[in-house]
């Protein structure tokens, strides 16, 4: 279940679901786009494959420790997904638009109410704060599409 949840989060984060109706199938093209974006941001921020896989697999064993390079990796990913602006301000409407195609509206609002005003002084710090907040409350997010 954890991997399914992470898959949905990553897909939603990329913003490939701009359609009116929620998608019912996830294609290899979506997975490839996710992998390419993560790899590009990892390369730009000198993130190891192990750390990137840990992030994609929901940081087993706890959160990934904060580091400037990992925080900036998150900033790169979140900015590409249009979750944050170039200075790290959370783009609530963009998140709402993308996530409500995958998660219930109530779940999205819970996340935005809890994590919509995270702190930090720049893109990297704010992105890590968003990641940490979401990691703390992810159990309240209910997907629209159930995968068994």
């Amino acid at each position: 279940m954890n991997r399914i949840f992470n898959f949905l989060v990553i897909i939603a984060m990329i913003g490939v679901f701009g359609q009116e109706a929620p998608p019912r199938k996830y294609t290899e093209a979506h997975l490839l786009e996710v992998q390419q974006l993560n790899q590009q941001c990892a390369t730009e921020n000198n993130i190891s494959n192990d750390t990137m896989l840990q992030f994609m697999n929901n940081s087993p064993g706890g959160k990934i420790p904060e580091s400037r390079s990992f925080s900036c990796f998150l900033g790169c990913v979140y900015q590409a997904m249009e979750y944050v602006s170039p200075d790290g301000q959370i783009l609530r409407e963009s998140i709402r638009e993308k996530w409500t195609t995958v998660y219930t509206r109530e779940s999205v609002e819970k996340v935005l109410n809890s994590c919509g005003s995270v702190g930090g002084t720049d893109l990297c710090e704010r992105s890590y704060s968003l990641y940490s907040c979401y990691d703390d409350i992810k159990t309240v997010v209910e997907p629209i599409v159930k995968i068994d």
Side-chain angles (χ1 to χ4, degrees):
M1 178 65 179
N2 219 7
R3 286 187 179 228
I4 293 168
F5 176 79
N6 293 333
F7 172 74
L8 290 171
V9 169
I10 291 168
I11 293 298
M13 289 178 6
I14 298 303
V16 295
F17 298 134
Q19 303 100 357
E20 292 291 317
R24 297 291 176 199
K25 291 191 176 186
Y26 307 103
T27 65
E28 286 187 34
H30 294 129
L31 289 174
L32 182 59
E33 186 176 351
V34 169
Q35 290 171 339
Q36 289 173 340
L37 174 63
N38 283 331
Q39 188 59 55
Q40 176 187 343
C41 290
T43 299
E44 288 175 13
N45 291 286
N46 199 26
I47 298 295
S48 71
N49 284 336
D50 288 343
T51 300
M52 187 174 67
L53 289 173
Q54 187 179 4
F55 166 69
M56 291 177 68
N57 289 319
N58 198 29
S59 57
K63 285 184 223 165
I64 298 171
E66 184 175 6
S67 71
R68 184 73 181 170
S69 61
F70 181 71
S71 297
C72 291
F73 161 75
L74 291 173
C76 175
V77 171
Y78 291 171
Q79 189 175 2
M81 298 179 315
E82 298 177 347
Y83 285 2
V84 297
S85 65
D87 67 349
Q89 297 299 315
I90 294 177
L91 302 174
R92 296 172 69 93
E93 287 305 313
S94 180
I95 291 171
R96 186 176 285 118
E97 178 184 311
K98 290 170 175 50
W99 280 33
T100 54
T101 63
V102 179
Y103 300 106
T104 65
R105 184 165 301 282
E106 296 79 19
S107 294
V108 173
E109 293 306 319
K110 286 179 188 176
V111 171
L112 289 174
N113 289 336
S114 295
C115 302
S117 301
V118 296
T121 60
D122 62 12
L123 170 66
C124 301
E125 289 179 14
R126 289 183 180 130
S127 296
Y128 189 84
S129 293
L130 178 60
Y131 162 78
S132 295
C133 179
Y134 180 77
D135 194 54
D136 290 341
I137 67 160
K138 66 186 168 218
T139 58
V140 303
V141 181
E142 296 177 39
I144 293 172
V145 181
K146 304 270 186 197
I147 301 176
D148 296 320

